[in-house]
Amino acid sequence: MVQELDTHPLPLLPVGRYTQDMAVTVEIHNTGDRDWQRDVVAIIEHVLSDRPGDWRLSIIGSQGSERWEMKITGPHAFERSYALEKASGEHAPSAIAAIVARMVPAKKS
């Protein structure tokens, strides 16, 4: 699993905590702020860490728009998309974490 940051060349960093039945991949492109990207990766790993299966989250930013597209895929053909609006505060890592937590299936006890 690798983390892809923006379009600038960076070394690939491992992403996710791995067990036999779980992996998380986060891809972020065209958002500009590398510290923000690292914060989002960490918080998404935390949100999905106790959900079984393989999860993939991508955020595609746009320099021409304050609307970013977020897509989440997971086990059992799970797929959701969401438009993150900067004006609504949805570019903040904590807001993204809350949105992801609401979108993915509930944790199994």
Side-chain angles (χ1 to χ4, degrees):
M1 303 296 174
V2 296
Q3 170 186 352
E4 294 181 24
L5 297 175
D6 236 337
T7 57
H8 304 292
L10 284 177
L12 296 177
L13 304 172
V15 172
R17 291 171 182 79
Y18 307 100
T19 65
Q20 286 183 327
D21 55 5
M22 184 284 232
V24 176
T25 303
V26 177
E27 293 182 64
I28 301 173
H29 301 280
N30 302 319
T31 58
D33 183 345
R34 293 179 186 188
D35 290 333
W36 174 90
Q37 293 171 346
R38 288 182 186 99
D39 290 347
V40 170
V41 169
I43 204 162
I44 294 305
E45 287 178 343
H46 178 72
V47 168
L48 297 175
S49 66
D50 57 355
R51 308 285 201 303
D54 293 335
W55 293 92
R56 180 181 212 71
L57 180 132
S58 66
I59 296 176
I60 309 298
S62 171
Q63 294 179 2
S65 171
E66 292 189 348
R67 175 182 281 185
W68 296 348
E69 181 175 336
M70 178 172 69
K71 184 173 181 180
I72 305 169
T73 58
H76 310 293
F78 179 89
E79 187 173 324
R80 301 288 185 279
S81 295
Y82 190 88
L84 299 168
E85 297 283 347
K86 185 174 185 176
S88 299
E90 294 176 338
H91 288 190
S94 60
I96 294 170
I99 292 165
V100 170
R102 285 192 310 264
M103 291 174 74
V104 299
K107 303 174 195 177
K108 295 198 178 186
S109 306

